[in-house]
Amino acid sequence: GAGVSQSPSNKVTEKGKDVELRCDPISGHTALYWYRQSLGQGLEFLIYFQGNSAPDKSGLPSDRFSAERTGGSVSTLTIQRTQQEDSAVYLCASSPITSSDTQYFGPGTRLTVL
Amino acid sequence: EDQVTQSPEALRLQEGESSSLNCSYTVSGLRGLFWYRQDPGKGPEFLFTLYSAGEEKEKERLKATLTKKESFLHITAPKPEDSATYLCAVGGLTGGGNKLTFGTGTQLKVEL
């Protein structure tokens, strides 16, 4: 079946602009995660959604970052007033349920802030 | 705080030359240890999940093993198409949900 999809694949923006990144999880997966991968760094957890529960936002680096998940499916990660240090690959993953289930990743969105 | 350290950072092998990648971890309570493969410009591709010490899993030329402190990814008779970055991650009992803590990866290059 279809895997996790993300759009756009690449995004170039100017410092100070807002950006929206989209994630479409695997159908039927209730858990959705956002991670960030910076050059030379490991993947860094950002936020986690599980069903109708309140999201775990503990990994968001600042209040410029926010995310929504509508209808338990598609998610949007929004970065306001982008900074150069926000440049990274943003990866989305989904899994069927929590607690030890494997996460399946999308191809990522490469964000470049000029 | 959960921590994952992978070694070596980079590894160059000749085709057919077997080797092992190491993943050392500290975690408050292991829910799972995960191995992924990542090709340039792509998202991580799932390889294995290990849940308890002593567990082993195999897939083609890859075999993953787990102890209470580390995991090894053994590569037997590698081919050039095995060239990729291999990522190790752990899910711990604290922190809620199933968020993973990743290592920085081992970049493997297999040459003819």
Short mmCIF file of all heavy atoms in Angstrom, two decimals, chain A residues 33 35 37 40-43 45 48 56 58 91 95 98-108 110, chain B residues 31-32 34 36 38 41-46 48-49 51 87 95-104:
data_model
loop_
_atom_site.label_atom_id
_atom_site.label_comp_id
_atom_site.label_asym_id
_atom_site.label_seq_id
_atom_site.Cartn_x
_atom_site.Cartn_y
_atom_site.Cartn_z
N TYR A 33 4.20 11.30 13.94
CA TYR A 33 5.35 11.96 14.56
C TYR A 33 6.02 12.89 13.57
O TYR A 33 6.08 12.59 12.37
CB TYR A 33 6.40 10.92 14.99
CG TYR A 33 5.86 9.79 15.84
CD1 TYR A 33 5.19 8.73 15.26
CD2 TYR A 33 6.05 9.79 17.21
CE1 TYR A 33 4.70 7.69 16.02
CE2 TYR A 33 5.56 8.75 17.98
CZ TYR A 33 4.89 7.71 17.38
OH TYR A 33 4.40 6.68 18.15
N TYR A 35 9.85 14.71 13.10
CA TYR A 35 11.25 14.78 13.52
C TYR A 35 11.97 15.78 12.63
O TYR A 35 11.53 16.11 11.53
CB TYR A 35 11.96 13.42 13.35
CG TYR A 35 11.49 12.32 14.28
CD1 TYR A 35 10.37 11.55 13.97
CD2 TYR A 35 12.18 12.05 15.46
CE1 TYR A 35 9.95 10.53 14.80
CE2 TYR A 35 11.76 11.02 16.30
CZ TYR A 35 10.65 10.28 15.97
OH TYR A 35 10.23 9.27 16.80
N GLN A 37 15.94 16.58 11.07
CA GLN A 37 17.29 16.04 10.86
C GLN A 37 18.16 17.14 10.31
O GLN A 37 18.02 17.55 9.15
CB GLN A 37 17.25 14.85 9.90
CG GLN A 37 18.59 14.12 9.77
CD GLN A 37 18.45 12.84 8.94
OE1 GLN A 37 17.66 12.77 7.99
NE2 GLN A 37 19.21 11.81 9.29
N GLY A 40 24.63 16.42 10.06
CA GLY A 40 25.55 15.91 11.07
C GLY A 40 24.91 15.59 12.40
O GLY A 40 25.59 15.18 13.34
N GLN A 41 23.60 15.77 12.49
CA GLN A 41 22.88 15.49 13.74
C GLN A 41 21.98 14.28 13.57
O GLN A 41 21.55 13.95 12.47
CB GLN A 41 22.02 16.70 14.14
CG GLN A 41 22.78 17.99 14.26
CD GLN A 41 23.70 18.00 15.45
OE1 GLN A 41 23.35 17.53 16.52
NE2 GLN A 41 24.91 18.51 15.26
N GLY A 42 21.67 13.65 14.69
CA GLY A 42 20.67 12.59 14.66
C GLY A 42 19.28 13.17 14.50
O GLY A 42 19.08 14.37 14.66
N LEU A 43 18.32 12.31 14.20
CA LEU A 43 16.95 12.78 14.12
C LEU A 43 16.50 13.27 15.49
O LEU A 43 16.72 12.61 16.51
CB LEU A 43 16.02 11.65 13.66
CG LEU A 43 15.89 11.43 12.17
CD1 LEU A 43 17.12 10.77 11.60
CD2 LEU A 43 14.64 10.63 11.85
N PHE A 45 13.30 14.49 17.80
CA PHE A 45 11.85 14.43 17.96
C PHE A 45 11.28 15.84 18.14
O PHE A 45 11.83 16.66 18.88
CB PHE A 45 11.50 13.58 19.17
CG PHE A 45 10.07 13.71 19.62
CD1 PHE A 45 9.06 13.05 18.96
CD2 PHE A 45 9.74 14.51 20.71
CE1 PHE A 45 7.74 13.16 19.37
CE2 PHE A 45 8.43 14.63 21.14
CZ PHE A 45 7.43 13.96 20.46
N TYR A 48 4.27 14.66 18.65
CA TYR A 48 3.63 13.36 18.46
C TYR A 48 2.13 13.50 18.66
O TYR A 48 1.67 14.14 19.61
CB TYR A 48 4.25 12.39 19.47
CG TYR A 48 3.39 11.25 19.94
CD1 TYR A 48 3.06 10.21 19.08
CD2 TYR A 48 2.94 11.19 21.26
CE1 TYR A 48 2.29 9.15 19.52
CE2 TYR A 48 2.17 10.13 21.70
CZ TYR A 48 1.85 9.11 20.84
OH TYR A 48 1.10 8.06 21.27
N ASP A 56 1.83 15.48 22.16
CA ASP A 56 3.04 15.64 22.96
C ASP A 56 3.94 16.63 22.21
O ASP A 56 4.56 16.27 21.21
CB ASP A 56 3.73 14.29 23.12
CG ASP A 56 5.06 14.38 23.85
OD1 ASP A 56 5.51 15.50 24.18
OD2 ASP A 56 5.68 13.33 24.09
N SER A 58 6.59 18.17 23.46
CA SER A 58 7.78 18.39 24.27
C SER A 58 9.05 18.63 23.47
O SER A 58 10.02 19.17 23.99
CB SER A 58 7.99 17.20 25.21
OG SER A 58 8.16 16.01 24.48
N LEU A 91 11.08 15.33 8.86
CA LEU A 91 10.59 13.99 8.56
C LEU A 91 9.33 13.70 9.35
O LEU A 91 9.23 14.03 10.54
CB LEU A 91 11.66 12.95 8.91
CG LEU A 91 12.90 12.95 8.01
CD1 LEU A 91 14.08 12.31 8.72
CD2 LEU A 91 12.61 12.21 6.72
N SER A 95 2.70 5.26 12.79
CA SER A 95 2.69 3.88 13.26
C SER A 95 1.26 3.50 13.63
O SER A 95 0.43 4.37 13.90
CB SER A 95 3.62 3.69 14.46
OG SER A 95 3.16 4.40 15.58
N THR A 98 0.57 3.05 19.59
CA THR A 98 1.75 3.39 20.39
C THR A 98 2.33 2.13 21.02
O THR A 98 1.87 1.04 20.78
CB THR A 98 1.39 4.38 21.50
OG1 THR A 98 0.37 3.80 22.31
CG2 THR A 98 0.91 5.67 20.91
N SER A 99 3.34 2.32 21.83
CA SER A 99 3.95 1.28 22.63
C SER A 99 4.64 0.20 21.81
O SER A 99 4.10 -0.87 21.56
CB SER A 99 2.92 0.63 23.57
OG SER A 99 3.57 -0.29 24.43
N SER A 100 5.82 0.54 21.36
CA SER A 100 6.72 -0.40 20.70
C SER A 100 6.45 -0.58 19.22
O SER A 100 7.20 -1.28 18.56
CB SER A 100 6.71 -1.78 21.36
OG SER A 100 6.99 -1.67 22.73
N ASP A 101 5.42 -0.01 18.70
CA ASP A 101 5.17 -0.19 17.27
C ASP A 101 6.19 0.56 16.42
O ASP A 101 6.59 1.66 16.74
CB ASP A 101 3.77 0.29 16.90
CG ASP A 101 2.77 -0.84 16.92
OD1 ASP A 101 3.18 -2.02 16.87
OD2 ASP A 101 1.58 -0.55 16.98
N THR A 102 6.56 -0.06 15.32
CA THR A 102 7.54 0.51 14.43
C THR A 102 6.99 1.76 13.76
O THR A 102 5.82 1.81 13.38
CB THR A 102 7.91 -0.53 13.36
OG1 THR A 102 8.50 -1.65 14.01
CG2 THR A 102 8.87 0.05 12.35
N GLN A 103 7.84 2.77 13.61
CA GLN A 103 7.48 3.99 12.91
C GLN A 103 7.97 3.91 11.47
O GLN A 103 9.12 3.54 11.22
CB GLN A 103 8.09 5.20 13.62
CG GLN A 103 7.54 5.38 15.03
CD GLN A 103 8.15 6.53 15.77
OE1 GLN A 103 8.62 7.49 15.17
NE2 GLN A 103 8.15 6.45 17.09
N TYR A 104 7.12 4.29 10.56
CA TYR A 104 7.44 4.29 9.13
C TYR A 104 7.54 5.74 8.67
O TYR A 104 6.61 6.52 8.85
CB TYR A 104 6.37 3.53 8.34
CG TYR A 104 6.30 2.07 8.73
CD1 TYR A 104 5.47 1.64 9.76
CD2 TYR A 104 7.10 1.13 8.10
CE1 TYR A 104 5.43 0.31 10.14
CE2 TYR A 104 7.07 -0.21 8.48
CZ TYR A 104 6.23 -0.61 9.50
OH TYR A 104 6.21 -1.92 9.88
N PHE A 105 8.67 6.03 8.03
CA PHE A 105 8.98 7.42 7.71
C PHE A 105 8.62 7.77 6.27
O PHE A 105 8.68 6.95 5.37
CB PHE A 105 10.47 7.69 7.92
CG PHE A 105 10.86 7.84 9.36
CD1 PHE A 105 11.08 6.73 10.15
CD2 PHE A 105 10.97 9.10 9.93
CE1 PHE A 105 11.43 6.87 11.49
CE2 PHE A 105 11.32 9.26 11.26
CZ PHE A 105 11.54 8.13 12.04
N GLY A 106 8.29 9.05 6.09
CA GLY A 106 8.14 9.60 4.76
C GLY A 106 9.49 10.05 4.20
O GLY A 106 10.52 9.92 4.87
N PRO A 107 9.49 10.61 2.99
CA PRO A 107 10.74 11.00 2.33
C PRO A 107 11.33 12.29 2.87
O PRO A 107 12.49 12.61 2.60
CB PRO A 107 10.33 11.16 0.87
CG PRO A 107 8.88 11.51 0.94
CD PRO A 107 8.33 10.77 2.12
N GLY A 108 10.54 13.06 3.63
CA GLY A 108 11.05 14.28 4.21
C GLY A 108 10.83 15.51 3.35
O GLY A 108 10.60 15.42 2.14
N ARG A 110 12.95 19.03 2.66
CA ARG A 110 14.20 19.76 2.90
C ARG A 110 13.88 21.24 2.91
O ARG A 110 13.46 21.79 1.89
CB ARG A 110 15.23 19.45 1.83
CG ARG A 110 16.55 20.21 2.03
CD ARG A 110 17.61 19.76 1.04
NE ARG A 110 17.96 18.36 1.24
CZ ARG A 110 18.82 17.91 2.14
NH1 ARG A 110 19.42 18.75 2.96
NH2 ARG A 110 19.09 16.62 2.22
N ARG B 31 11.50 -0.12 25.44
CA ARG B 31 10.29 -0.61 24.78
C ARG B 31 10.64 -1.23 23.42
O ARG B 31 9.94 -2.11 22.95
CB ARG B 31 9.28 0.51 24.59
CG ARG B 31 8.61 0.94 25.88
CD ARG B 31 7.53 1.98 25.63
NE ARG B 31 8.10 3.26 25.25
CZ ARG B 31 8.10 3.74 24.01
NH1 ARG B 31 7.58 3.05 23.02
NH2 ARG B 31 8.62 4.92 23.75
N GLY B 32 11.71 -0.76 22.81
CA GLY B 32 12.13 -1.32 21.54
C GLY B 32 13.40 -0.64 21.05
O GLY B 32 13.63 0.53 21.34
N PHE B 34 15.43 -0.02 17.39
CA PHE B 34 15.07 -0.02 15.99
C PHE B 34 16.29 0.25 15.14
O PHE B 34 17.11 1.11 15.46
CB PHE B 34 14.02 1.07 15.71
CG PHE B 34 12.78 0.93 16.55
CD1 PHE B 34 12.74 1.44 17.83
CD2 PHE B 34 11.66 0.30 16.05
CE1 PHE B 34 11.60 1.31 18.62
CE2 PHE B 34 10.51 0.17 16.82
CZ PHE B 34 10.48 0.68 18.11
N TYR B 36 17.30 1.34 11.18
CA TYR B 36 16.81 1.89 9.93
C TYR B 36 17.99 2.04 8.98
O TYR B 36 19.13 2.25 9.39
CB TYR B 36 16.17 3.27 10.13
CG TYR B 36 14.84 3.27 10.84
CD1 TYR B 36 14.78 3.29 12.23
CD2 TYR B 36 13.64 3.27 10.12
CE1 TYR B 36 13.56 3.32 12.90
CE2 TYR B 36 12.42 3.30 10.77
CZ TYR B 36 12.39 3.32 12.15
OH TYR B 36 11.18 3.34 12.80
N GLN B 38 19.12 4.55 5.75
CA GLN B 38 18.78 5.81 5.09
C GLN B 38 19.70 6.05 3.91
O GLN B 38 20.92 6.13 4.08
CB GLN B 38 18.83 6.99 6.07
CG GLN B 38 18.30 8.28 5.46
CD GLN B 38 18.18 9.41 6.47
OE1 GLN B 38 18.91 9.46 7.45
NE2 GLN B 38 17.25 10.32 6.25
N GLY B 41 19.11 11.68 0.58
CA GLY B 41 17.93 12.36 0.07
C GLY B 41 16.62 11.64 0.32
O GLY B 41 15.57 12.05 -0.20
N LYS B 42 16.64 10.57 1.12
CA LYS B 42 15.43 9.81 1.39
C LYS B 42 15.18 9.69 2.89
O LYS B 42 16.07 9.95 3.70
CB LYS B 42 15.54 8.43 0.77
CG LYS B 42 15.64 8.46 -0.75
CD LYS B 42 15.49 7.08 -1.35
CE LYS B 42 15.50 7.14 -2.87
NZ LYS B 42 15.32 5.81 -3.48
N GLY B 43 13.96 9.30 3.24
CA GLY B 43 13.64 9.06 4.64
C GLY B 43 14.17 7.72 5.10
O GLY B 43 14.47 6.84 4.28
N PRO B 44 14.29 7.53 6.41
CA PRO B 44 14.76 6.25 6.94
C PRO B 44 13.81 5.10 6.55
O PRO B 44 12.59 5.25 6.61
CB PRO B 44 14.76 6.46 8.45
CG PRO B 44 14.87 7.94 8.63
CD PRO B 44 14.10 8.52 7.48
N GLU B 45 14.42 3.97 6.19
CA GLU B 45 13.67 2.78 5.81
C GLU B 45 13.82 1.75 6.92
O GLU B 45 14.94 1.39 7.30
CB GLU B 45 14.21 2.22 4.50
CG GLU B 45 13.61 0.89 4.07
CD GLU B 45 14.36 0.28 2.90
OE1 GLU B 45 15.14 0.99 2.25
OE2 GLU B 45 14.17 -0.93 2.64
N PHE B 46 12.71 1.26 7.44
CA PHE B 46 12.73 0.33 8.55
C PHE B 46 13.41 -0.99 8.19
O PHE B 46 13.17 -1.56 7.12
CB PHE B 46 11.30 0.04 9.02
CG PHE B 46 11.18 -1.09 9.99
CD1 PHE B 46 11.66 -0.96 11.28
CD2 PHE B 46 10.63 -2.30 9.61
CE1 PHE B 46 11.57 -2.01 12.17
CE2 PHE B 46 10.53 -3.36 10.49
CZ PHE B 46 11.00 -3.21 11.78
N PHE B 48 14.70 -3.43 11.29
CA PHE B 48 14.43 -4.38 12.38
C PHE B 48 13.92 -3.66 13.62
O PHE B 48 14.28 -2.52 13.87
CB PHE B 48 15.71 -5.12 12.81
CG PHE B 48 16.41 -5.87 11.73
CD1 PHE B 48 17.62 -5.42 11.24
CD2 PHE B 48 15.88 -7.05 11.21
CE1 PHE B 48 18.29 -6.11 10.24
CE2 PHE B 48 16.53 -7.75 10.21
CZ PHE B 48 17.75 -7.27 9.74
N THR B 49 13.14 -4.40 14.42
CA THR B 49 12.82 -4.01 15.78
C THR B 49 13.23 -5.16 16.70
O THR B 49 12.91 -6.31 16.44
CB THR B 49 11.32 -3.74 15.99
OG1 THR B 49 10.88 -2.79 15.03
CG2 THR B 49 11.08 -3.20 17.39
N TYR B 51 13.23 -6.27 20.91
CA TYR B 51 12.52 -5.88 22.13
C TYR B 51 13.22 -6.29 23.41
O TYR B 51 13.04 -5.65 24.44
CB TYR B 51 11.10 -6.47 22.12
CG TYR B 51 10.21 -5.90 21.05
CD1 TYR B 51 9.88 -6.65 19.92
CD2 TYR B 51 9.71 -4.61 21.14
CE1 TYR B 51 9.06 -6.13 18.93
CE2 TYR B 51 8.88 -4.09 20.15
CZ TYR B 51 8.56 -4.84 19.06
OH TYR B 51 7.75 -4.33 18.08
N LEU B 87 20.94 3.76 10.83
CA LEU B 87 20.53 4.49 12.02
C LEU B 87 19.98 3.53 13.06
O LEU B 87 19.24 2.60 12.74
CB LEU B 87 19.44 5.50 11.68
CG LEU B 87 19.78 6.57 10.64
CD1 LEU B 87 18.53 7.38 10.29
CD2 LEU B 87 20.88 7.48 11.14
N GLY B 95 8.82 9.57 28.96
CA GLY B 95 8.60 10.49 27.86
C GLY B 95 7.28 10.29 27.17
O GLY B 95 6.84 11.13 26.39
N GLY B 96 6.66 9.16 27.39
CA GLY B 96 5.33 8.97 26.80
C GLY B 96 5.36 8.61 25.34
O GLY B 96 6.35 8.81 24.64
N GLY B 97 4.26 8.09 24.89
CA GLY B 97 4.14 7.76 23.47
C GLY B 97 5.20 6.79 23.02
O GLY B 97 5.60 5.91 23.77
N ASN B 98 5.67 6.96 21.84
CA ASN B 98 6.66 6.06 21.31
C ASN B 98 7.76 6.86 20.63
O ASN B 98 8.35 6.40 19.67
CB ASN B 98 6.02 5.09 20.33
CG ASN B 98 6.91 3.91 20.02
OD1 ASN B 98 7.74 3.53 20.83
ND2 ASN B 98 6.76 3.36 18.84
N LYS B 99 8.05 8.08 21.11
CA LYS B 99 9.06 8.87 20.43
C LYS B 99 10.40 8.18 20.56
O LYS B 99 10.71 7.55 21.57
CB LYS B 99 9.12 10.29 20.99
CG LYS B 99 9.53 10.40 22.43
CD LYS B 99 9.47 11.86 22.87
CE LYS B 99 9.82 12.03 24.32
NZ LYS B 99 9.63 13.42 24.77
N LEU B 100 11.17 8.25 19.50
CA LEU B 100 12.44 7.56 19.41
C LEU B 100 13.60 8.52 19.62
O LEU B 100 13.54 9.68 19.20
CB LEU B 100 12.58 6.88 18.05
CG LEU B 100 11.49 5.86 17.70
CD1 LEU B 100 11.75 5.28 16.31
CD2 LEU B 100 11.44 4.75 18.74
N THR B 101 14.64 8.01 20.24
CA THR B 101 15.91 8.73 20.35
C THR B 101 16.88 8.06 19.40
O THR B 101 17.14 6.85 19.52
CB THR B 101 16.45 8.68 21.79
OG1 THR B 101 15.51 9.29 22.66
CG2 THR B 101 17.78 9.41 21.89
N PHE B 102 17.43 8.84 18.47
CA PHE B 102 18.28 8.31 17.42
C PHE B 102 19.75 8.57 17.69
O PHE B 102 20.12 9.60 18.29
CB PHE B 102 17.94 8.96 16.08
CG PHE B 102 16.74 8.38 15.39
CD1 PHE B 102 15.47 8.78 15.74
CD2 PHE B 102 16.90 7.43 14.40
CE1 PHE B 102 14.36 8.24 15.10
CE2 PHE B 102 15.79 6.88 13.76
CZ PHE B 102 14.52 7.29 14.12
N GLY B 103 20.60 7.68 17.21
CA GLY B 103 22.02 7.95 17.10
C GLY B 103 22.28 8.74 15.82
O GLY B 103 21.36 8.97 15.02
N THR B 104 23.53 9.12 15.63
CA THR B 104 23.89 9.93 14.46
C THR B 104 24.21 9.07 13.24
O THR B 104 24.44 9.60 12.17
CB THR B 104 25.06 10.86 14.76
OG1 THR B 104 26.13 10.08 15.30
CG2 THR B 104 24.66 11.93 15.76
#
